[in-house]
Amino acid sequence: MIYKVYYQEGISEIPVRENTKVVYVEGASEREVRFFLKDRNYNIELVQLLEGNYLEYEQNSPNFHLENA
């Protein structure tokens, strides 16, 4: 499954829309994705499962770079 993770780069950074970044991660579950990212000190705002048309739309984006958990 592919997840879209919204985050801020600093663990103590307050979530602000303009500073939110995105990473796409392939993993078996949301828990596995969070475990994969725990060493990066990200302030994870949301982990969203991508499927169907939404996944297809994101894959066509020039910013889509998939990481494997």
Side-chain angles (χ1 to χ4, degrees):
M1 295 186 278
I2 297 175
Y3 293 87
K4 183 177 184 178
V5 181
Y6 297 86
Y7 69 94
Q8 284 74 42
E9 290 189 337
I11 192 74
S12 62
E13 194 172 333
I14 297 170
V16 177
R17 175 183 240 169
E18 291 79 18
N19 298 335
T20 300
K21 296 185 175 26
V22 173
V23 64
Y24 300 93
V25 181
E26 184 173 14
S29 66
E30 179 181 338
R31 185 176 182 171
E32 182 179 317
V33 170
R34 287 182 179 272
F35 185 78
F36 173 71
L37 296 173
K38 76 175 187 171
D39 295 334
R40 297 190 189 186
N41 288 329
Y42 288 164
N43 181 14
I44 296 176
E45 187 176 336
L46 176 67
V47 178
Q48 181 180 25
L49 176 63
L50 299 179
E51 39 188 13
N53 291 337
Y54 191 52
L55 173 59
E56 188 177 321
Y57 174 80
E58 292 289 339
Q59 286 174 329
N60 291 326
S61 168
N63 299 325
F64 185 82
H65 303 285
L66 188 61
E67 296 185 29
N68 293 315

